[in-house]
Amino acid sequence: MADTLRLLGFILLSGLHVASAAIVVDIPQKQYKVARGDNATLPCAFTPPPPAGSTTEITWKATPDVPGSPMIDIIKFNSATGMKVYKNYKGRAGLTFDLTKGKADLQLVRVTSADNRTYECHVDVQEEEDGTLSDTANLIVLVAPSTPKCTIEGKTEYFQDITLTCKSEEGTPTPTYKWQSYDVLNNPRPNPLKATDVNGVLSLYNISKDTSGFYVCTSTNEIRSAKCNLTMAVMAPSMSMASTAGIIGAAAGALVLLLVIIICCCCCRRKKNKEEEYAMGTPEDGEFTDKDPEEQDEHVRSEQERPVKSADRRDVQDERSERSYDRRSDYDDRRDPNTSQRDDRDDRYNDRRDRYDDKRDRSDDRQERYDDRRERNGDRQDRYDDRRDRNDDRRDRYDDRYDDRRDRYDDRRDRHDDRYDSDRYSDRYDSRDRPPSVPPNKPRDPRN
């Protein structure tokens, strides 16, 4: 009987040794997803359990940042020496194990984007080298997309091409973007036929007044979504200040040049008239003689010295007076053509001056009409800005109410989550993925 019992014990020990030799380490899934900031659990099971009294070592490692570098040690458990958490994971990593049940789960606290790695569970039983001693799994840390930034590139004027860009600074997996357009009455509308929406870039071509309205971009990934919006008002092209200053400067320069030419012409005409009068030799007393000015002066002096003249002398003087009268007539005849030419030039100058004044008056009228249009456009722009400011105030009040509701919802959700233990994490995670419904009474933003 004793020999039989010893034989049965030897057979049982041999069978246990054979079973323990074929250890199989298994991680149920090849990929685990968890939101950033939450706790992650990577399960690891091994079968069969190690025999009693044997030394068992459980090790968790992660792939390095640089391919080809050594594996990163996270935690090690030895049934003989105890637990060891390596430096980079102290305070963040833990091991939940049960050797009799073949359990060695890795616990990571407050995961970050840096924890996106491949993790390896390795189980080593003393004197047992057969079987599958390790298994791996990927941990994906999900990051909700940040609030995207919406911008307009290009001039919002008639017949221009512009692009609307939308980009979230962070988000894992990479967010997808979608643009939605609304008219000035806040009614949804499809994008123009020629518009393209690729990776958050909405391209609009040959825009017009109908392109004005509101544009909302939604950034979405597996966790949740975020939005940004733009208000676009397409205006008629206006003359720039540089162009206006250039035109005014050119007009002023042309006016100054014209005045200089007129003054030069007047000066030249006056100088020519003086030269003609000097060439005719008109004396100051208005008497014309056939003598030179010097001889005339001697004659005057002699007349003053001798006031009484003879009759023959008077006759000669009378003849000279007649000849002087004839010469004065000849001078008047020669002067008449010059006078008529000067009058013609004056008439032509006056005509040109009148035409210039008419052009200047018409230019002033056009400038006044242009200023009136600019003032009307400025009034319309002011009214549009007032309406936009009022609409922004309503949107801000709506956003405040929405944030308050969201905060209250988060508080209720946190109190609800506190009632559950960490084993029901997946249920809590699923409930968090569903964002609260948007209130149906969102105010509309009328814009003209």
Side-chain angles (χ1 to χ4, degrees), residues 2 49 73 93 209 237 260 277 282 291 316 356 395 430:
D73 293 323
K209 183 179 180 181
V260 171
E277 292 177 358
T282 304
K291 295 181 178 293
V316 173
Y356 169 74
R395 290 178 67 89
D430 294 338

Side-chain angles (χ1 to χ4, degrees), residues 239 241 244 248 363-380:
M239 184 179 297
M241 295 299 295
T244 304
I248 294 175
S363 177
D364 293 339
D365 293 338
R366 287 194 296 270
Q367 183 64 31
E368 291 176 357
R369 291 194 297 272
Y370 173 74
D371 293 337
D372 292 338
R373 287 196 298 271
R374 284 181 64 89
E375 291 176 358
R376 290 194 295 272
N377 290 333
D379 294 337
R380 286 195 294 269

